[in-house]
Structures are given as C-alpha cells and as structure tokens.
Amino acid sequence: MIRVGIGHDTHRLEAGRKLILGGIMVDHPRGLSGHSDADIVLHALTDAILGAAGLGDIGDAFPDTDPANKNLDSAVFLRHSLGQIATLGWHLINVDVIIFAQEPKLGAIKSRIKDNLACLLGIDVSNVNVKAKTGEKVGFIGRAEAMSCQVVVLLGRS
Ligand code: MG
C-alpha cells in the first residue's frame, strides 16, 4: 500500500532573524519570521507526511498560539510526525522538496539540506531530492518578501 502527501509553507523574511532551511543555518542578512524557528522546509515536510497518513496538519499538534512552541526547533514537529506514522506502520519511500527563494542563491546549500533531511528522516540520501527556484523577481517570492516551500512525500506500508 502506498500513500502520497503534499505540504506547503510560506513565511515572511525579516531582519534580525536567523535563516534556517531544512535544519541548516543559512548565512543571510534576513531570516524567516514565525512563532517557531520558521523553517519552511521542515514545516512543509511535516505537513506532507501527516497528509499522506491522513493525520491532519502541523497546526493540529502544535498550535502557533502555544507559548511552548515559541522559537522551537522545527525538527521537533518532524520527529512527532515520524513517530505518528511509524505507529500506524507507515515508512517513508521518498521525498521531493522545492524551495522558492529569490535570494540567497541556494545552489551551494541544496546538498547540505538534502543530507540533513535524509539524516532527520532516517532514509538514504538517494530518496531525498531538493530543488530551488527563484520567483523571477515577480510576486512576493520575487520581491524577496517571503520564502515558500512545497514538498511531496510517498509513504509505504506492507
Ligand atoms: Mg510554517
């Protein structure tokens, strides 16, 4: 049995915040604003995993109104979703990620994000793909007002 899941997230860019993508700290003058560490990659990935297993979304388990989630490492969200799907007998088959960011250039960082995602997910790096797209200087991505991420995952269960 297989199940596909999709996740999407957007956060605004703000001066004075750290930029964390897929658990990797990226050197940039601005970071993503949010209640947690605002890691769009881990948020979209968590939602995709929960979605594939029919388990709702990240906000169900971790409301952004809860002070306990403030500045939280988003790997906590991901680990929670992995625990939930494992309980139901699901395992991850593969993950495909697109990061939408006008700047900085992510070409040199993509492989580090990919390696870290494979590590966090406990799957071989050959089952993780990370792509980066600019906004072609149009829209909120292109004006570098925000970054977005889309993730598709495939789960399997025997
Ligand atoms: Mg988010």
Side-chain angles (χ1 to χ4, degrees):
M1 202 176 352
I2 56 170
R3 288 285 185 275
V4 68
I6 185 169
H8 183 101
D9 199 26
T10 298
H11 282 255
R12 277 183 293 108
L13 280 156
E14 194 176 281
R17 291 274 300 184
K18 289 175 186 161
L19 177 59
I20 300 169
L21 296 171
I24 298 292
M25 183 100 68
V26 181
D27 188 25
H28 192 58
R30 293 186 299 156
L32 296 168
S33 70
H35 189 65
S36 66
D37 67 4
D39 187 332
I40 47 171
V41 178
L42 296 192
H43 293 184
L45 178 56
T46 301
D47 264 353
I49 291 168
L50 293 172
L55 294 171
D57 67 31
I58 196 170
D60 294 338
F62 298 96
D64 63 8
T65 49
D66 186 344
N69 300 332
K70 191 156 174 60
N71 296 319
L72 193 67
D73 177 352
S74 295
V76 170
F77 306 147
L78 182 63
R79 277 196 290 271
H80 176 80
S81 69
L82 292 173
Q84 283 199 296
I85 65 160
T87 301
L88 297 171
W90 294 106
H91 66 274
L92 269 165
I93 296 176
N94 78 303
V95 174
D96 196 10
V97 176
I98 314 175
I99 301 169
F100 298 87
Q102 188 63 39
E103 57 188 37
K105 289 273 178 250
L106 297 174
I109 292 168
K110 280 189 303 184
S111 67
R112 286 180 60 205
I113 294 174
K114 178 173 153 166
D115 289 349
N116 196 50
L117 293 182
C119 181
L120 289 169
L121 294 168
I123 59 176
D124 191 84
V125 74
S126 64
N127 298 317
V128 179
N129 192 66
V130 176
K131 304 189 282 282
K133 310 287 283 184
T134 72
E136 290 290 335
K137 300 194 172 172
V138 296
F140 64 84
I141 299 293
R143 290 189 298 269
E145 295 168 3
M147 289 183 185
S148 292
C149 183
Q150 286 179 358
V151 177
V152 170
V153 306
L154 194 66
L155 302 185
R157 182 164 73 177
S158 45

